[in-house]
PDB file of all heavy atoms in Angstrom:
ATOM      1  N   ILE F 194    -144.584  42.773-130.476  1.00  0.00           N
ATOM      2  CA  ILE F 194    -143.467  42.742-129.548  1.00  0.00           C
ATOM      3  C   ILE F 194    -143.221  41.410-128.999  1.00  0.00           C
ATOM      4  O   ILE F 194    -142.269  41.103-128.312  1.00  0.00           O
ATOM      5  CB  ILE F 194    -143.667  43.822-128.605  1.00  0.00           C
ATOM      6  CG1 ILE F 194    -142.426  44.667-128.258  1.00  0.00           C
ATOM      7  CG2 ILE F 194    -144.348  43.391-127.312  1.00  0.00           C
ATOM      8  CD1 ILE F 194    -142.700  45.946-127.715  1.00  0.00           C
ATOM      9  N   GLY F 195    -144.387  40.548-128.992  1.00  0.00           N
ATOM     10  CA  GLY F 195    -144.308  39.348-128.320  1.00  0.00           C
ATOM     11  C   GLY F 195    -143.085  38.442-128.212  1.00  0.00           C
ATOM     12  O   GLY F 195    -142.553  38.046-127.154  1.00  0.00           O
ATOM     13  N   LYS F 196    -142.604  38.251-129.428  1.00  0.00           N
ATOM     14  CA  LYS F 196    -141.503  37.183-129.424  1.00  0.00           C
ATOM     15  C   LYS F 196    -140.103  37.828-128.938  1.00  0.00           C
ATOM     16  O   LYS F 196    -139.198  37.066-128.679  1.00  0.00           O
ATOM     17  CB  LYS F 196    -141.346  36.612-130.799  1.00  0.00           C
ATOM     18  CG  LYS F 196    -141.018  37.527-131.884  1.00  0.00           C
ATOM     19  CD  LYS F 196    -141.039  36.826-133.254  1.00  0.00           C
ATOM     20  CE  LYS F 196    -140.777  37.750-134.431  1.00  0.00           C
ATOM     21  NZ  LYS F 196    -140.735  36.938-135.686  1.00  0.00           N
ATOM     22  N   TRP F 197    -139.962  39.053-128.815  1.00  0.00           N
ATOM     23  CA  TRP F 197    -138.751  39.627-128.366  1.00  0.00           C
ATOM     24  C   TRP F 197    -138.459  39.411-126.938  1.00  0.00           C
ATOM     25  O   TRP F 197    -137.251  39.559-126.448  1.00  0.00           O
ATOM     26  CB  TRP F 197    -138.746  41.259-128.588  1.00  0.00           C
ATOM     27  CG  TRP F 197    -138.646  41.445-130.161  1.00  0.00           C
ATOM     28  CD1 TRP F 197    -139.661  41.713-130.929  1.00  0.00           C
ATOM     29  CD2 TRP F 197    -137.341  41.440-130.908  1.00  0.00           C
ATOM     30  NE1 TRP F 197    -139.164  41.829-132.207  1.00  0.00           N
ATOM     31  CE2 TRP F 197    -137.752  41.646-132.133  1.00  0.00           C
ATOM     32  CE3 TRP F 197    -136.074  41.327-130.577  1.00  0.00           C
ATOM     33  CZ2 TRP F 197    -136.799  41.807-133.164  1.00  0.00           C
ATOM     34  CZ3 TRP F 197    -135.122  41.363-131.555  1.00  0.00           C
ATOM     35  CH2 TRP F 197    -135.509  41.557-132.834  1.00  0.00           C
ATOM     36  N   SER F 198    -139.422  38.854-126.037  1.00  0.00           N
ATOM     37  CA  SER F 198    -139.100  38.537-124.861  1.00  0.00           C
ATOM     38  C   SER F 198    -138.294  37.198-124.712  1.00  0.00           C
ATOM     39  O   SER F 198    -137.724  36.842-123.719  1.00  0.00           O
ATOM     40  CB  SER F 198    -140.442  38.363-123.959  1.00  0.00           C
ATOM     41  OG  SER F 198    -141.304  39.454-123.994  1.00  0.00           O
ATOM     42  N   MET F 199    -138.229  36.504-125.844  1.00  0.00           N
ATOM     43  CA  MET F 199    -137.358  35.325-125.894  1.00  0.00           C
ATOM     44  C   MET F 199    -135.943  35.587-125.779  1.00  0.00           C
ATOM     45  O   MET F 199    -135.121  34.652-125.511  1.00  0.00           O
ATOM     46  CB  MET F 199    -137.706  34.375-127.113  1.00  0.00           C
ATOM     47  CG  MET F 199    -138.939  33.646-127.092  1.00  0.00           C
ATOM     48  SD  MET F 199    -138.982  32.344-125.727  1.00  0.00           S
ATOM     49  CE  MET F 199    -138.274  31.031-126.533  1.00  0.00           C
ATOM     50  N   ILE F 200    -135.507  36.799-125.903  1.00  0.00           N
ATOM     51  CA  ILE F 200    -134.084  37.234-125.799  1.00  0.00           C
ATOM     52  C   ILE F 200    -133.450  36.536-124.586  1.00  0.00           C
ATOM     53  O   ILE F 200    -132.315  35.914-124.728  1.00  0.00           O
ATOM     54  CB  ILE F 200    -133.944  38.771-125.666  1.00  0.00           C
ATOM     55  CG1 ILE F 200    -134.185  39.410-127.068  1.00  0.00           C
ATOM     56  CG2 ILE F 200    -132.584  39.113-125.166  1.00  0.00           C
ATOM     57  CD1 ILE F 200    -134.037  40.854-127.085  1.00  0.00           C
ATOM     58  N   ASP F 201    -134.114  36.753-123.495  1.00  0.00           N
ATOM     59  CA  ASP F 201    -133.449  36.174-122.228  1.00  0.00           C
ATOM     60  C   ASP F 201    -133.185  34.725-122.286  1.00  0.00           C
ATOM     61  O   ASP F 201    -132.082  34.200-121.946  1.00  0.00           O
ATOM     62  CB  ASP F 201    -134.342  36.383-121.062  1.00  0.00           C
ATOM     63  CG  ASP F 201    -133.527  37.161-120.085  1.00  0.00           C
ATOM     64  OD1 ASP F 201    -132.602  37.834-120.348  1.00  0.00           O
ATOM     65  OD2 ASP F 201    -133.884  37.128-118.752  1.00  0.00           O
ATOM     66  N   ILE F 202    -134.060  34.034-122.901  1.00  0.00           N
ATOM     67  CA  ILE F 202    -133.875  32.476-122.911  1.00  0.00           C
ATOM     68  C   ILE F 202    -132.753  32.147-123.964  1.00  0.00           C
ATOM     69  O   ILE F 202    -131.886  31.250-123.689  1.00  0.00           O
ATOM     70  CB  ILE F 202    -135.178  31.821-123.544  1.00  0.00           C
ATOM     71  CG1 ILE F 202    -136.361  32.059-122.844  1.00  0.00           C
ATOM     72  CG2 ILE F 202    -134.959  30.356-123.827  1.00  0.00           C
ATOM     73  CD1 ILE F 202    -136.290  31.731-121.366  1.00  0.00           C
ATOM     74  N   PHE F 203    -132.544  32.884-125.149  1.00  0.00           N
ATOM     75  CA  PHE F 203    -131.501  32.642-125.954  1.00  0.00           C
ATOM     76  C   PHE F 203    -130.145  33.024-125.298  1.00  0.00           C
ATOM     77  O   PHE F 203    -129.090  32.364-125.648  1.00  0.00           O
ATOM     78  CB  PHE F 203    -131.735  33.502-127.295  1.00  0.00           C
ATOM     79  CG  PHE F 203    -132.974  32.998-128.142  1.00  0.00           C
ATOM     80  CD1 PHE F 203    -133.815  33.811-128.789  1.00  0.00           C
ATOM     81  CD2 PHE F 203    -133.183  31.593-128.204  1.00  0.00           C
ATOM     82  CE1 PHE F 203    -134.792  33.342-129.451  1.00  0.00           C
ATOM     83  CE2 PHE F 203    -134.328  31.115-128.833  1.00  0.00           C
ATOM     84  CZ  PHE F 203    -134.997  31.899-129.448  1.00  0.00           C
ATOM     85  N   VAL F 204    -130.105  34.167-124.651  1.00  0.00           N
ATOM     86  CA  VAL F 204    -128.933  34.507-123.928  1.00  0.00           C
ATOM     87  C   VAL F 204    -128.370  33.255-123.025  1.00  0.00           C
ATOM     88  O   VAL F 204    -127.243  32.859-122.950  1.00  0.00           O
ATOM     89  CB  VAL F 204    -129.080  35.729-122.966  1.00  0.00           C
ATOM     90  CG1 VAL F 204    -127.911  35.968-122.073  1.00  0.00           C
ATOM     91  CG2 VAL F 204    -129.333  36.910-124.026  1.00  0.00           C
ATOM     92  N   VAL F 205    -129.404  32.701-122.218  1.00  0.00           N
ATOM     93  CA  VAL F 205    -129.093  31.552-121.305  1.00  0.00           C
ATOM     94  C   VAL F 205    -128.639  30.391-122.158  1.00  0.00           C
ATOM     95  O   VAL F 205    -127.652  29.793-121.900  1.00  0.00           O
ATOM     96  CB  VAL F 205    -130.290  31.184-120.483  1.00  0.00           C
ATOM     97  CG1 VAL F 205    -130.036  29.924-119.754  1.00  0.00           C
ATOM     98  CG2 VAL F 205    -130.642  32.333-119.540  1.00  0.00           C
ATOM     99  N   ALA F 206    -129.277  30.097-123.281  1.00  0.00           N
ATOM    100  CA  ALA F 206    -128.865  29.001-124.217  1.00  0.00           C
ATOM    101  C   ALA F 206    -127.417  29.151-124.633  1.00  0.00           C
ATOM    102  O   ALA F 206    -126.641  28.249-124.570  1.00  0.00           O
ATOM    103  CB  ALA F 206    -129.879  28.732-125.317  1.00  0.00           C
ATOM    104  N   ILE F 207    -127.067  30.378-125.103  1.00  0.00           N
ATOM    105  CA  ILE F 207    -125.822  30.541-125.695  1.00  0.00           C
ATOM    106  C   ILE F 207    -124.704  30.437-124.516  1.00  0.00           C
ATOM    107  O   ILE F 207    -123.638  29.919-124.735  1.00  0.00           O
ATOM    108  CB  ILE F 207    -125.663  31.978-126.405  1.00  0.00           C
ATOM    109  CG1 ILE F 207    -126.441  31.882-127.679  1.00  0.00           C
ATOM    110  CG2 ILE F 207    -124.342  32.532-126.581  1.00  0.00           C
ATOM    111  CD1 ILE F 207    -125.695  31.058-128.705  1.00  0.00           C
ATOM    112  N   LEU F 208    -125.021  31.175-123.432  1.00  0.00           N
ATOM    113  CA  LEU F 208    -124.126  31.062-122.340  1.00  0.00           C
ATOM    114  C   LEU F 208    -123.807  29.612-121.782  1.00  0.00           C
ATOM    115  O   LEU F 208    -122.611  29.357-121.540  1.00  0.00           O
ATOM    116  CB  LEU F 208    -124.513  31.938-121.150  1.00  0.00           C
ATOM    117  CG  LEU F 208    -124.486  33.508-121.408  1.00  0.00           C
ATOM    118  CD1 LEU F 208    -124.835  34.283-120.157  1.00  0.00           C
ATOM    119  CD2 LEU F 208    -123.027  33.956-121.820  1.00  0.00           C
ATOM    120  N   VAL F 209    -124.815  28.994-121.693  1.00  0.00           N
ATOM    121  CA  VAL F 209    -124.789  27.550-121.249  1.00  0.00           C
ATOM    122  C   VAL F 209    -123.755  26.739-122.132  1.00  0.00           C
ATOM    123  O   VAL F 209    -122.917  25.966-121.788  1.00  0.00           O
ATOM    124  CB  VAL F 209    -126.079  26.817-121.147  1.00  0.00           C
ATOM    125  CG1 VAL F 209    -125.926  25.393-120.918  1.00  0.00           C
ATOM    126  CG2 VAL F 209    -126.818  27.422-119.959  1.00  0.00           C
ATOM    127  N   ALA F 210    -123.962  26.991-123.448  1.00  0.00           N
ATOM    128  CA  ALA F 210    -123.160  26.210-124.457  1.00  0.00           C
ATOM    129  C   ALA F 210    -121.730  26.694-124.397  1.00  0.00           C
ATOM    130  O   ALA F 210    -120.733  25.993-124.497  1.00  0.00           O
ATOM    131  CB  ALA F 210    -123.839  26.417-125.849  1.00  0.00           C
ATOM    132  N   LEU F 211    -121.606  28.113-124.465  1.00  0.00           N
ATOM    133  CA  LEU F 211    -120.228  28.677-124.694  1.00  0.00           C
ATOM    134  C   LEU F 211    -119.336  28.689-123.555  1.00  0.00           C
ATOM    135  O   LEU F 211    -118.273  28.304-123.541  1.00  0.00           O
ATOM    136  CB  LEU F 211    -120.490  30.148-125.167  1.00  0.00           C
ATOM    137  CG  LEU F 211    -119.192  30.875-125.685  1.00  0.00           C
ATOM    138  CD1 LEU F 211    -118.769  30.233-126.851  1.00  0.00           C
ATOM    139  CD2 LEU F 211    -119.584  32.324-126.072  1.00  0.00           C
TER     140      LEU F 211
END
Side-chain angles (χ1 to χ4, degrees):
Chain F
I194 222 162
K196 60 182 177 181
W197 286 94
S198 303
M199 280 299 274
I200 285 182
D201 235 26
I202 303 299
F203 292 142
V204 169
V205 172
I207 282 292
L208 286 182
V209 167
L211 189 61

